[in-house]
Amino acid sequence: MRGNVNKSVARVVLAAAVAATLGTATACEDSKDDKPAGRGSQKPAATETHKTLGKAELEQAVLAKADVKAKGYAIKEMTKAELAEGDAAKSDKAVCQPAVALMGSKYSPEPADSVYRTLGKGDLKTKESFSGMLRVSSYAAGGAEKTIADLKKAVEGCKGGFTATDGSGEKQKFTAVTAQPAAKLGDEALAFDMSGDGLKFSVKAVRSGAHVTVLLGFNMLDPMKSQVPQELVTAQVAKLEKAIAKNAG
């Protein structure tokens, strides 16, 4: 199914970020909050009290244009229609479902609240490109921990690949899931790639107390060189944990 790239969130991400990748980043709309992310990362009190951020607070805690513009990224809020297109993605192997679900918009455990953004950056001459989806979610007690634990099991149990089916019935075969080094952020973090059929998706996820940050990345100019810029993950976790600490105070 190469070229179609999956009709779930992967397609939505590419459509939303294509302007940035083609060098027209200014065409993207500003996100709701243009306050820059804090540089420091305070340890969230949520790890002890389970006080979580609601929808409005997550909107303030997610990366905004002012946080990424200087580094050349465009950022845009995902619309309800785009999220609805993502729908549910399913795996042919139960252990792989948590990883496959990242390419859709339905997860288990289900977050209490989530906010989504698409990000893009690209250079046609060098073929350096990043198109990605950012999700920041809050969970009921134990949900964030289980989300990361299930993803770790998926990475370990799906090394030989799996077949994903999106909400429209389109199939995508992945031949390998490969663990990658993860930066020491939040309470726990992981990184991995899912590759097959001439393309690769890269994922980085971080748990901060009862909250999870997930960035899924794709290189539309050179699909096998996809990656998630660590600077985006670091900035998002710092901004989120600052909001968590403020909320717990």
Side-chain angles (χ1 to χ4, degrees), residues 31-35 59-67 239:
S31 58
K32 291 184 178 180
D33 175 29
D34 274 353
K35 295 180 181 179
E59 290 286 359
Q60 296 299 312
V62 73
L63 288 178
K65 182 178 179 180
D67 301 320
K239 189 171 186 179

Side-chain angles (χ1 to χ4, degrees), residues 83-227:
L83 289 172
E85 283 185 40
D87 200 17
K90 297 181 179 179
S91 170
D92 62 337
K93 299 178 181 179
V95 69
C96 305
Q97 182 58 34
V100 175
L102 298 180
M103 296 186 291
S105 57
K106 295 182 180 179
Y107 319 102
S108 178
E110 183 179 0
D113 286 295
S114 295
V115 294
Y116 298 83
R117 297 291 187 268
T118 56
L119 297 107
K121 181 180 182 180
D123 187 326
L124 288 173
K125 293 182 180 180
T126 63
K127 288 191 176 182
E128 292 182 3
S129 168
F130 168 70
S131 297
M133 185 192 76
L134 166 65
R135 171 171 66 93
V136 183
S137 300
S138 59
Y139 289 82
E145 291 86 343
K146 188 174 190 309
T147 294
I148 297 298
D150 288 348
L151 283 174
K152 289 180 178 179
K153 290 178 182 178
V155 173
E156 181 63 28
C158 304
K159 294 178 179 178
F162 57 85
T163 298
T165 304
D166 68 19
S168 70
E170 291 282 350
K171 294 183 182 295
Q172 172 73 52
K173 184 174 179 59
F174 290 89
T175 56
V177 176
T178 309
Q180 299 295 336
K184 293 182 179 180
L185 292 173
D187 294 302
E188 53 184 333
L190 77 158
F192 60 96
D193 295 333
M194 300 182 287
S195 57
D197 197 22
L199 59 84
K200 179 176 74 174
F201 288 106
S202 290
V203 177
K204 290 185 179 180
V206 180
R207 180 177 70 82
S208 301
H211 306 77
V212 173
T213 295
V214 178
L215 256 165
L216 183 150
F218 181 75
N219 185 332
M220 67 176 294
L221 300 180
D222 196 342
M224 285 304 294
K225 291 186 178 180
S226 300
Q227 60 180 343

